[in-house]
């Protein structure tokens, strides 16, 4: 789909301003950089002079995210906010933005609190609902015949959603369950507990540098157990730093570079050409988010909130995932895959090996008062 400047200009007068808040420095910066780069690739490919993107660093701190969001809303007069990676930051920003009459369209963070009773007609999650990839991992663990997994995640909203989701579709006995500190880098105590637990497998959600630290330390421990994780712990932002320790690991994702459709091919090739590296899930989600917004801009004047909201809900864009639609709570209904970490030449990456959940919707949608 193309977005001509003239057609967009006819749709409404001034520019549509998008405020992209993401983590560009400190811990987790690689995730924010990929978010920014995926989003801007879609904007650049569209060649759209009628959309302005303002980019700011949240430093992975809720107070900074709130400060930046307030500036964007009050001084920059943005129409749409997006880009936050971390759920605790999203919870600090998105409801307040919605209350001030702004759309929030999430590239990643999608905590349970905003999917059920706390849903909002102006809040859209393009990525997933936080539980989803972890639910898929639980379903895969059950199908694989594991009976005593040990599970761990950081103690923040997405980590809590992670273990809740895994347990929901796994449904069996656990060897152990742990919450770690957000940003933790030393996992000696946790690995000792895993060793002593009698576990037959491990599930962990530790995004960014946390996952790199854990995987390296776990590999050095000599514990020989199968590992399952969501994509975040085996993403393209992490694999180069982990190396052989991740080979053969199964992880769950709603996207991979080998999904066979024209939009995904354009994205993967364009990202490599523009940035000289393979894209991650964070980049793919941000790319879809930008194209969703562009599709709404083509159809509706941002000043007509009802029409613009309906255009977002319609999701009339070519997703890198192929089929894409929103549920009643403005979260995706989508397929989720099992991927395996492989090596292509000198590059560590993933390949899809199965579909574990089809047309999957989050459980919180039933608590949301919005309709389709």
């Amino acid at each position: 789909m193309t977005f001509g400047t003239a057609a967009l200009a006819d749709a409404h007068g001034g520019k549509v301003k998008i405020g992209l808040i993401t983590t560009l420095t400190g811990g987790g910066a690689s995730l924010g950089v990929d978010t920014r780069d995926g989003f801007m690739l879609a904007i650049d490919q569209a060649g759209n002079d009628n959309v302005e993107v303002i980019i700011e660093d949240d430093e992975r701190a809720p107070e900074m995210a709130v400060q930046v969001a307030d500036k964007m809303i009050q001084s920059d007069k943005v129409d749409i906010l997006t880009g936050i990676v971390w759920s605790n930051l999203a919870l600090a920003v998105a409801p307040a933005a919605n209350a001030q009459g702004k759309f929030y369209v999430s590239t990643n963070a999608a905590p349970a609190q905003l999917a059920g009773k706390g849903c909002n007609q102006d809040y859209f999650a393009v990525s997933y609902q936080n539980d989803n990839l972890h639910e898929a991992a639980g379903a895969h663990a059950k199908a694989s015949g594991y009976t005593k997994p040990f599970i761990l995640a950081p103690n923040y909203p997405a980590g809590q959603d992670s273990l809740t989701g895994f347990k929901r579709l796994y449904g069996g006995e656990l060897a152990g369950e742990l919450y770690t500190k957000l940003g933790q880098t030393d996992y000696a105590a946790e690995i000792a507990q895993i060793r002593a637990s009698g576990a037959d497998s491990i599930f962990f959600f530790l995004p960014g540098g946390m996952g790199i630290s854990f995987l390296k330390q776990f590999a050095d421990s000599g514990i020989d157990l199968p590992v399952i994780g969501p994509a975040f712990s085996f993403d393209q932002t992490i694999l180069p730093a982990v190396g052989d320790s991740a080979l053969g690991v199964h992880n769950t994702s709603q996207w991979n570079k080998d999904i066979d459709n024209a939009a995904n091919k354009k994205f993967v090739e364009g990202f490599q050409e523009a940035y000289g590296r393979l894209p991650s899930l964070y980049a793919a989600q941000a790319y879809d988010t930008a194209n969703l917004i562009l599709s709404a801009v083509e159809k509706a004047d941002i000043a007509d909130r009802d029409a613009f909201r309906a255009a977002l809900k319609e999701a009339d864009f070519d997703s890198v995932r192929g089929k894409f639609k929103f549920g009643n709570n403005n979260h995706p209904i989508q397929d989720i895959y099992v991927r395996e970490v492989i090596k292509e030449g000198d590059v560590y990456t993933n390949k899809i090996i199965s579909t574990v959940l089809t047309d999957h919707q989050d459980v919180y949608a039933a608590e949301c008062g919005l309709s389709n």
Side-chain angles (χ1 to χ4, degrees):
M1 185 178 294
T2 58
F3 305 94
T5 303
L8 289 166
D10 288 341
H12 52 79
K15 286 187 173 182
V16 175
K17 283 191 174 183
I18 302 169
L20 191 151
I21 305 169
T22 198
T23 305
L24 299 174
T25 56
S30 63
L31 314 186
V33 168
D34 261 29
T35 297
R36 176 198 65 195
D37 290 352
F39 193 93
M40 293 310 299
L41 176 64
I43 298 295
D44 292 342
Q45 286 178 344
N48 181 358
D49 295 332
N50 204 47
V51 171
E52 178 184 355
V53 182
I54 301 167
I55 301 171
E56 296 278 359
D57 183 9
D58 59 34
E59 300 176 11
R60 208 175 76 179
E63 61 275 13
M64 178 58 71
V66 169
Q67 180 180 324
V68 170
D70 287 345
K71 170 187 170 293
M72 286 182 168
I73 292 170
Q74 296 164 18
S75 300
D76 299 321
K77 307 296 184 184
V78 299
D79 304 295
I80 301 166
L81 287 169
T82 188
I84 291 176
V85 172
W86 308 92
S87 290
N88 54 332
L89 276 63
L91 284 168
V93 168
N98 292 153
Q100 294 176 75
K102 305 300 178 182
F103 292 100
Y104 189 91
V105 187
S106 183
T107 59
N108 188 63
Q113 293 93 324
L114 303 182
K117 293 178 181 178
C119 66
N120 187 288
Q121 64 179 355
D122 293 333
Y123 173 85
F124 291 81
V126 181
S127 48
Y128 40 60
Q129 190 281 315
N130 277 358
D131 297 23
N132 291 166
L133 303 194
H134 315 288
E135 289 173 327
H140 180 58
K142 182 177 181 179
S144 299
Y146 301 134
T147 59
K148 290 187 68 178
F150 192 105
I151 65 176
L152 67 159
N155 192 15
Y156 79 118
Q160 295 152 15
D161 287 348
S162 167
L163 299 193
T164 297
F166 180 90
K167 290 185 290 185
R168 181 179 294 122
L169 292 194
Y170 168 65
E173 180 184 355
L174 299 174
E177 177 178 357
L178 279 179
Y179 284 108
T180 67
K181 292 181 180 179
L182 186 63
Q184 183 172 326
T185 56
D186 183 356
Y187 294 95
E190 288 80 4
I191 290 170
Q193 290 186 56
I194 292 168
R195 187 189 300 276
S197 70
D200 66 355
S201 55
I202 298 169
F203 166 80
F204 76 91
F205 163 59
L206 294 165
M210 293 179 285
I212 295 170
S213 297
F214 177 81
L215 275 169
K216 286 184 172 180
Q217 291 166 41
F218 183 76
D220 290 342
S221 74
I223 299 174
D224 184 18
L225 289 175
V227 175
I228 299 174
F232 324 107
S233 300
F234 301 93
D235 195 64
Q236 209 61 51
T237 58
I238 288 176
L239 291 179
V242 175
D244 287 352
S245 300
L247 287 175
V249 168
H250 288 180
N251 61 96
T252 49
S253 180
Q254 81 281 34
W255 172 84
N256 199 53
K257 68 182 180 66
D258 57 357
I259 293 177
D260 188 14
N261 64 62
N264 198 39
K265 183 177 180 181
K266 179 182 178 182
F267 163 62
V268 173
E269 291 179 353
F271 194 93
Q272 287 181 285
E273 182 178 349
Y275 306 116
R277 65 185 190 275
L278 285 173
S280 68
L281 175 61
Y282 301 94
Q285 293 172 162
Y287 183 85
D288 266 0
T289 301
N291 279 320
L292 168 70
I293 293 171
L294 287 165
S295 73
V297 169
E298 186 181 54
K299 292 189 170 196
D301 186 335
I302 190 71
D304 185 342
R305 293 182 57 77
D306 290 340
F308 196 84
R309 184 184 305 114
L312 286 173
K313 186 83 170 197
E314 189 177 352
D316 184 18
F317 73 103
D318 295 326
S319 171
V320 298
R321 286 165 259 185
K323 60 181 180 179
F324 181 98
K325 65 179 179 180
F326 285 118
N328 64 296
N329 62 347
N330 298 340
H331 288 64
I333 299 173
Q334 60 190 335
D335 294 348
I336 304 177
Y337 308 98
V338 177
R339 312 187 303 181
E340 182 178 327
V341 180
I342 61 170
K343 196 172 183 182
E344 294 179 344
D346 294 330
V347 178
Y348 296 93
T349 187
N350 286 281
K351 69 175 181 180
I352 292 175
I353 59 172
S354 67
T355 303
V356 63
L357 297 175
T358 302
D359 293 331
H360 185 64
Q361 184 173 28
D362 63 274
V363 299
Y364 305 103
E367 302 172 7
C368 173
L370 300 176
S371 64
N372 283 323

